Amino acid sequence: MRVDREAAMPGNRAVVYQGAGQVEVRDTDYPTYELQDGPGVNKENVGRKVPHGVILKTVASNICGSDQHMVRGRTTAPEGLVLGHEITGEVVDVGPDVEFIKVGDLCSVPFNISCGRCRNCKERKTGVCLNVNPDRPGSAYGYVDMGGWVGGQAEYVLVPYADWNLLKFPDRDQAMEKILDLAMLTDIFPTGYHGCVSAGVTSGSTVYIAGAGPVGLAAATSAYLLGAAVVIVGDLNEERLAQARSFGCETINVADGDPADQVQQILGHDAPAIGQPLVDSAVDAVGFEARGHGENAQTEMPATVLNSLMTVTRAGGAIGIPGLYVTGDPGGVDDAAKVGSLSLRLGLGWAKSHSFVTGQCPVMKYNRELMMAILHDRVQIAKNVNATPIRLDQAAQGYADFDKGAARKYVLDPHGVIA
């Protein structure tokens, strides 16, 4: 049954990027089943019909480090862009071509927008769908160069290809009891898990994770879920390192010196006989705004993390790279960095036969199984990342606090239903 949307249509408010360092909550258009022109919308997508979509009433929409890159002015995002790609919500209206999703369903939205029809989607590579973004393979809500699909840090949002994209929670009451955990399924939990799977984490693995932000903490959580014996998290932020220690991680502050030396001290006799501080698997949860180590800890050095991971990972090991790297960075430290060209020690990685996996996490590859782990109390992801609900009108403060390094995962609660 469809709701008469014209009769019942409420207003809408959303978090809008207003230029470097600025976001504000503004009145915006209620979603329709046709893409409208606007900031960041690819011209080839203007007028695109979406009868296969639904409109969600947003229950939770998280602030992500990827959003923060845009808000810092470190991408080519246009002013006026509605932000938000981590969306959980209730279906309030369905398009005429939607068959299985119903009004009232409570669902998780993968941050990847995918069609379910192209070759890549059929191969479960939903992070590089071929049909939703005229610029390049892959798309996301509210993100620069991703086709212009409107973001979900809003009261209401359109989700295309709903039968394919939405993960329906099996029991609404149970889901609301665990909503902060389930809100992590849209991005950071699958992304951290994908980083670990890509790095070959398994029973008994020793793992080094660069970055103790929400994705790094989600990766550490995932490493334990996969059976890792030792999980070491490195960062510059002591508050975030304390959050990692709160669920059993070993930690190193990379401001104190070379991560390799500190990893060696932690592994001790478990390190290889040749004395090198080598882990089985490593995960880059930092990305292109990486800083150096030791005396360079306050200097931006975008290749630092990737090069250090090749140093600390054993020969034949693997490195997962869910940390974001971009093709356009106006604030890059040099001309090469501004176009995403970094000085990597690829020869070292080649000599050690490392494997690397980069790119968007294909969320749908993992989200159902991770949902089951949450619903059956196998993991407490919200606790581990310190998920903190705030009102929609507190978004600007949430972004500011997150930018200062708060050890929290801020979850916007547009309708006041989480608390």
Coordinates of all heavy atoms in Angstrom, one line a residue, residues 6 19 54 73 89 101 105 114 118-119 168 214 224 228 262 270 302 319 331 347-348 352 359 394 408:
E6 N 1.5 13.3 -1.6 CA 1.2 14.7 -1.7 C 0.3 15.2 -0.6 O 0.5 16.4 -0.1 CB 0.4 14.9 -3.1 CG 1.3 14.6 -4.3 CD 2.5 15.5 -4.4 OE1 2.4 16.6 -4.0 OE2 3.5 15.0 -4.9
G19 N 30.9 25.4 2.9 CA 32.2 25.9 2.7 C 33.1 25.4 3.8 O 32.7 24.8 4.8
V54 N 12.4 4.4 -2.5 CA 11.5 4.6 -1.4 C 11.9 5.9 -0.7 O 13.1 6.3 -0.8 CB 11.5 3.5 -0.3 CG1 11.0 2.1 -1.0 CG2 12.8 3.3 0.4
G73 N 37.3 21.1 3.8 CA 37.6 21.7 2.5 C 38.7 20.9 1.8 O 39.4 21.5 0.9
G89 N 16.7 4.0 8.6 CA 15.4 4.7 8.7 C 14.2 3.8 8.5 O 14.3 2.6 8.2
I101 N 9.8 -4.3 -0.4 CA 9.9 -3.4 0.8 C 8.5 -2.7 1.0 O 7.9 -2.3 0.0 CB 11.0 -2.3 0.5 CG1 12.4 -3.0 0.5 CG2 11.0 -1.2 1.6 CD1 12.8 -3.6 1.9
D105 N 8.6 -0.6 7.2 CA 9.8 -1.4 7.4 C 11.0 -0.5 8.0 O 11.1 0.6 7.5 CB 10.3 -2.0 6.1 CG 9.4 -3.2 5.6 OD1 8.6 -3.7 6.4 OD2 9.5 -3.6 4.5
S114 N 23.8 1.2 -5.4 CA 24.1 0.3 -6.5 C 22.8 -0.2 -7.1 O 21.7 -0.1 -6.5 CB 24.9 -0.9 -5.9 OG 24.2 -1.6 -4.9
C118 N 24.0 -4.4 -12.9 CA 25.2 -4.4 -13.7 C 26.1 -5.6 -13.4 O 25.9 -6.3 -12.4 CB 25.9 -3.1 -13.5 SG 26.7 -2.9 -11.9
R119 N 27.2 -5.7 -14.2 CA 28.1 -6.8 -14.0 C 28.7 -6.8 -12.6 O 28.8 -7.8 -11.9 CB 29.2 -6.8 -15.0 CG 30.3 -7.7 -14.8 CD 31.4 -7.6 -15.8 NE 32.5 -8.5 -15.5 CZ 33.6 -8.7 -16.3 NH1 33.6 -8.0 -17.5 NH2 34.5 -9.5 -16.0
K168 N 16.4 -5.0 5.5 CA 15.3 -4.9 6.5 C 15.6 -5.6 7.7 O 16.1 -6.7 7.7 CB 14.0 -5.4 5.8 CG 12.8 -5.4 6.8 CD 11.6 -6.1 6.1 CE 10.5 -6.3 7.1 NZ 9.3 -7.0 6.5
P214 N 36.6 6.1 14.3 CA 35.5 5.1 14.3 C 35.8 4.0 13.4 O 35.5 2.8 13.7 CB 34.3 5.9 13.9 CG 34.6 7.3 14.4 CD 36.1 7.5 14.2
Y224 N 38.8 -8.9 16.2 CA 38.5 -9.8 17.3 C 37.3 -10.8 16.9 O 37.4 -12.0 17.2 CB 38.1 -9.1 18.6 CG 39.3 -8.5 19.3 CD1 39.4 -7.2 19.6 CD2 40.3 -9.4 19.7 CE1 40.5 -6.7 20.3 CE2 41.4 -8.9 20.4 CZ 41.5 -7.5 20.7 OH 42.6 -7.1 21.4
A228 N 41.3 -12.8 15.8 CA 42.7 -12.3 16.0 C 43.1 -12.6 17.4 O 42.4 -12.5 18.4 CB 42.8 -10.9 15.6
Q262 N 57.6 0.1 18.3 CA 56.6 -0.1 19.3 C 55.9 -1.4 19.1 O 55.5 -2.1 20.1 CB 55.6 1.1 19.4 CG 56.3 2.4 19.7 CD 55.3 3.5 19.8 OE1 54.5 3.6 20.7 NE2 55.3 4.5 18.9
D270 N 56.8 -13.2 20.4 CA 55.9 -13.6 19.3 C 56.4 -13.0 17.9 O 55.9 -13.5 16.9 CB 54.5 -13.2 19.5 CG 53.9 -13.9 20.7 OD1 54.2 -15.1 20.9 OD2 53.1 -13.3 21.4
P302 N 51.1 12.3 3.6 CA 50.0 11.4 3.2 C 50.3 10.0 2.9 O 49.5 9.1 2.9 CB 49.4 12.1 1.9 CG 50.4 13.1 1.5 CD 51.2 13.5 2.7
I319 N 47.5 -6.2 3.3 CA 47.2 -4.9 3.9 C 45.8 -4.5 3.3 O 45.6 -4.4 2.1 CB 48.2 -3.9 3.5 CG1 49.6 -4.3 4.0 CG2 47.8 -2.5 4.0 CD1 50.7 -3.4 3.5
G331 N 43.7 20.9 -0.7 CA 44.6 21.2 0.4 C 45.8 20.3 0.5 O 46.5 20.3 1.5
G347 N 58.2 -0.8 -4.1 CA 59.2 -1.8 -4.2 C 59.3 -2.6 -2.9 O 59.5 -3.9 -3.0
L348 N 59.1 -2.0 -1.8 CA 59.1 -2.8 -0.5 C 58.0 -3.8 -0.5 O 58.1 -4.9 -0.1 CB 59.1 -1.8 0.7 CG 59.0 -2.5 2.1 CD1 60.2 -3.4 2.3 CD2 58.9 -1.4 3.2
K352 N 58.1 -8.0 -0.6 CA 57.6 -8.8 0.5 C 56.3 -9.5 0.1 O 55.6 -10.1 0.9 CB 57.3 -7.9 1.7 CG 58.5 -7.3 2.3 CD 58.3 -6.3 3.4 CE 57.9 -6.9 4.7 NZ 57.7 -5.9 5.8
G359 N 39.7 0.8 -2.0 CA 38.4 1.2 -2.5 C 37.3 1.1 -1.5 O 37.4 0.7 -0.4
Q394 N 22.2 19.8 16.5 CA 23.5 19.8 17.1 C 24.6 19.4 16.1 O 25.8 19.2 16.5 CB 23.5 18.9 18.3 CG 22.7 19.4 19.5 CD 22.6 18.4 20.6 OE1 22.2 17.2 20.4 NE2 23.1 18.8 21.8
R408 N 34.4 9.7 19.8 CA 33.0 9.4 19.7 C 32.6 9.2 18.2 O 33.3 9.7 17.3 CB 32.2 10.5 20.3 CG 32.4 10.8 21.8 CD 31.5 12.0 22.3 NE 31.8 12.2 23.7 CZ 31.2 11.6 24.7 NH1 30.2 10.7 24.4 NH2 31.4 11.9 25.9

